[in-house]
């Protein structure tokens, strides 16, 4: 379908505006301020890039001027794919900005939908039991929280609305911040429920009971969990920042946040540390909400056994953050030899194969990210060529890079170093280049 869309775009004019009955933005507008146009422009750029990559992988589309030389063909293909990938990245950033700009309405709608659900639950559970002051206090507290979140969503409408506080510096949803925000909102709601009941209390005994419900002995478990998850949100941000600055962790920016970011790493693979932290934190939060519904006259008394389980989960999450990542490393550099070539030393013009680990950072598998990789051979910076194959690229990969030794490299002992798409440098590896 992507190839067919690209062919239709080429026949009808690349990225041209549609003149169909649906309006000027149907199918082709690429203006960044229109979410429909940004989305359509990105989809079409991706389709054309995939078509071009697959054609080059099949040996098609090469001009006659470079077809006779394998190295010239590879260089020309790499430059063509790089330019196309940069256009895809530009369209992706435009779509991400437009998506964030309209997200605040969705988040505000989700907040008020939760209020409606609460109203329905309160009404259904009141059948037979009757309406109580606690139910009124719960609804008023929900209105206050929803109104505050809606106002904050409007002020941060360019950054995703309600989700703005949980979006990290890499433009992904932060698991630690999301868990901490969930607990902060719940505790704030619980306190507002008690405030509403205290304001409506008519007798001194009832007021004393509600004030006693705020004592630390009643909600020690909830307070402890709240302090730990908030501290972890701050600690993880500091740990990640220091590891990135120390080149022990590679981070690349995403086009836009996704819900899957809460359970996966930067490459989109599920991680045990994040999943267990979200699951256990969510289960404990659900238990605390049920306790608040059953005992609305005090802070939820989270049992210490469940609180300790949450603390163990939090410690596992932090340990996982310390363990992830690592600096890329070169293990060996050898002369790349094709079938039929004679064995020999590395000379200028030869291809060298750099073997190691961590060359492609998580989340940098896209072509525009791969095209940013550079190999320093002595004083010369060599762009890593993109070599397309069906469905992807054979070069570069996370553990092997192949680059040519340019003629500007002088004979003798030179050092090789890889600079990844995240800007992290590997160790230096010395090789001998002969005339």
């Amino acid at each position: 379908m992507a190839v067919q869309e690209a062919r239709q775009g080429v026949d009808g004019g690349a990225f041209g505006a549609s003149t169909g009955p649906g309006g000027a933005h149907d199918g082709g507008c690429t203006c960044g301020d229109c979410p429909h146009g940004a989305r359509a422009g990105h989809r079409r750029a991706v389709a054309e890039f995939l078509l071009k990559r697959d054609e080059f992988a099949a040996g098609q589309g090469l001009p006659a001027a470079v077809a006779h030389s394998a190295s010239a063909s590879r260089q020309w293909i790499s430059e063509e794919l790089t330019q196309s990938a940069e256009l895809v990245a530009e369209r992706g950033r435009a779509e991400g900005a437009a998506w964030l700009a309209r997200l605040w309405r969705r988040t505000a709608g989700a907040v008020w939908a939760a209020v409606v659900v609460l109203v329905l639950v309160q009404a259904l559970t009141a059948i037979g039991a009757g309406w109580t002051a606690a139910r009124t206090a719960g609804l008023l507290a929900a209105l206050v929280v929803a109104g505050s979140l809606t106002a904050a969503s409007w002020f941060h409408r360019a950054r995703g609305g309600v989700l703005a506080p949980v979006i990290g510096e890499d433009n992904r949803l932060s698991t630690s911040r999301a868990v901490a925000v969930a607990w902060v909102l719940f505790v704030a709601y619980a306190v507002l429920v008690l405030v509403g009941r205290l304001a409506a209390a008519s007798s001194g005994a009832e007021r004393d009971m509600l004030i006693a419900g705020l004592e630390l002995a009643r909600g020690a478990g909830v307070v402890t969990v709240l302090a730990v998850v908030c501290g972890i949100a701050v600690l993880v941000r500091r740990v990640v920042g220091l590891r990135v600055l120390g080149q022990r962790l590679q981070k690349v920016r995403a086009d836009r946040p996704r819900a899957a970011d809460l359970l996966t790493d930067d490459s989109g693979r599920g991680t045990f540390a994040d999943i267990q932290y979200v699951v256990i934190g969510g289960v404990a939060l659900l238990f605390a909400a049920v306790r608040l519904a059953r005992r609305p006259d005090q802070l939820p008394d989270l049992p210490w056994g469940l609180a300790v389980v949450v603390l163990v989960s939090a410690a596992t999450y932090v340990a996982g953050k310390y363990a992830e990542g690592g600096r890329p490393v070169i293990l060996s550099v050898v002369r790349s030899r094709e079938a039929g070539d004679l064995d020999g030393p590395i000379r200028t013009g030869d291809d060298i194969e750099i073997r190691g680990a961590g060359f492609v950072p998580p989340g940098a598998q896209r072509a525009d990210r791969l095209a940013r990789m550079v190999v320093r051979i002595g004083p010369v910076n060599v762009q890593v060529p993109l070599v397309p194959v069906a469905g992807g690229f054979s070069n570069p990969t996370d553990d092997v890079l192949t680059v040519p030794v340019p003629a500007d490299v002088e004979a003798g002992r030179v050092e090789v170093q890889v600079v990844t798409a995240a800007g992290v440098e590997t160790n230096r590896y010395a090789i001998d280049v002969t005339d």
Side-chain angles (χ1 to χ4, degrees):
M1 294 178 63
V3 173
Q4 293 175 357
E5 183 177 354
R7 288 200 175 112
Q8 292 171 2
V10 173
D11 294 338
F15 307 106
S18 173
T19 57
H25 296 296
D26 289 348
C29 175
T30 58
C31 55
D33 57 347
C34 172
H36 303 288
R39 187 188 309 115
H42 181 233
R43 291 178 60 187
R44 180 161 296 187
V46 170
E48 293 195 354
F49 171 79
L50 294 178
L51 174 60
K52 183 177 294 187
R53 184 197 64 189
D54 292 343
E55 286 181 346
F56 288 153
Q60 304 173 1
L62 283 175
V66 298
H68 66 281
S69 173
S71 60
S73 299
R74 183 179 61 185
Q75 184 66 26
W76 187 86
I77 289 174
S78 179
E79 291 179 357
E80 288 292 314
L81 290 177
T82 298
Q83 293 177 4
S84 181
E86 290 175 353
L87 179 61
V88 172
E90 179 183 351
R91 297 286 190 247
R93 288 189 292 268
E95 182 192 10
W99 183 84
L100 277 179
R102 67 179 184 270
L103 181 62
W104 77 274
R105 293 186 177 88
R106 298 181 180 181
T107 55
V111 168
W112 287 104
V115 174
V116 172
V117 171
L118 179 62
V119 171
L120 294 177
V121 172
Q122 293 277 44
L124 291 176
T125 55
I127 298 176
W131 194 266
T132 61
R135 300 180 190 276
T136 303
L139 292 180
L140 293 177
L143 292 176
V144 171
V145 172
S148 301
L149 290 178
T150 303
S153 177
W154 188 85
F155 283 110
H156 295 85
R157 58 189 180 277
R159 286 288 301 159
V162 174
L163 296 182
V166 299
I167 298 177
E169 287 72 17
D170 58 351
N171 209 30
R172 295 180 176 88
L173 292 182
S174 170
T175 303
S176 59
R177 297 184 195 180
V179 173
V181 166
W183 279 97
V184 167
L185 290 178
F186 171 74
V187 172
Y189 174 78
V191 173
L192 287 175
V193 170
L194 293 178
V195 169
R197 292 207 58 192
L198 184 62
S202 57
S203 63
E206 185 179 2
R207 289 192 293 269
D208 293 340
M209 179 190 66
L210 293 172
I211 293 176
L214 289 171
E215 293 181 355
L216 183 60
R218 300 288 182 90
V222 169
V223 173
T224 301
V225 170
L226 177 65
V228 169
V229 296
C230 290
I232 285 178
V234 177
L235 175 63
V236 166
R237 180 180 181 182
R238 180 65 174 171
V239 168
V240 172
L242 290 178
R243 299 195 71 201
V244 169
L245 293 177
Q247 297 191 5
R248 296 187 300 274
L249 180 65
Q250 301 190 73
K251 277 282 187 180
V252 294
R253 184 176 176 84
D255 287 337
R256 65 178 179 88
R258 291 175 171 81
D261 296 338
L262 299 177
L263 305 176
T264 62
D265 58 12
D266 292 351
S267 61
R269 294 173 297 188
T271 56
F272 170 75
D274 292 52
I275 293 174
Q276 61 88 28
Y277 189 45
V278 171
V279 170
I280 293 180
V283 170
L285 191 62
L286 179 62
F287 180 89
V290 173
R291 292 292 294 172
L292 177 63
R294 303 295 295 179
R295 296 291 302 272
D297 56 347
Q298 65 180 40
L299 286 177
D301 51 343
L302 196 67
W304 277 110
L306 184 56
V308 171
V309 170
V310 176
L311 299 184
V312 172
S313 174
T316 304
Y317 175 74
V318 174
K321 287 299 178 182
Y322 272 103
E324 72 177 2
R327 188 168 182 172
V329 59
I330 297 177
L331 300 178
S332 61
V333 178
V334 298
R335 178 175 175 267
S336 181
R337 178 182 177 275
E338 297 182 358
D341 287 349
L342 298 177
D343 296 328
I346 299 176
R347 296 183 175 89
T348 55
D350 290 344
D351 289 342
I352 58 174
E353 187 177 276
I354 305 172
R355 301 170 182 174
F359 296 149
V360 180
Q365 291 82 9
R366 298 183 331 192
D368 62 300
R369 303 289 189 183
L370 297 177
R372 297 177 60 186
M373 299 180 63
V374 174
V375 175
R376 293 197 186 109
I377 305 178
V380 182
N381 290 331
V382 182
Q383 203 75 23
V384 179
L386 300 177
V387 179
V389 294
F393 297 93
S394 62
N395 186 65
T397 62
D398 189 60
D399 54 357
V400 176
L401 304 178
T402 300
V403 294
V405 179
D408 294 333
V409 175
E410 298 181 356
R413 195 165 186 82
V414 297
E415 291 182 335
V416 177
Q417 189 177 33
V418 177
V419 182
T420 70
V424 178
E425 300 176 343
T426 65
N427 58 305
R428 298 177 184 270
Y429 193 94
I431 61 173
D432 293 315
V433 179
T434 61
D435 291 329

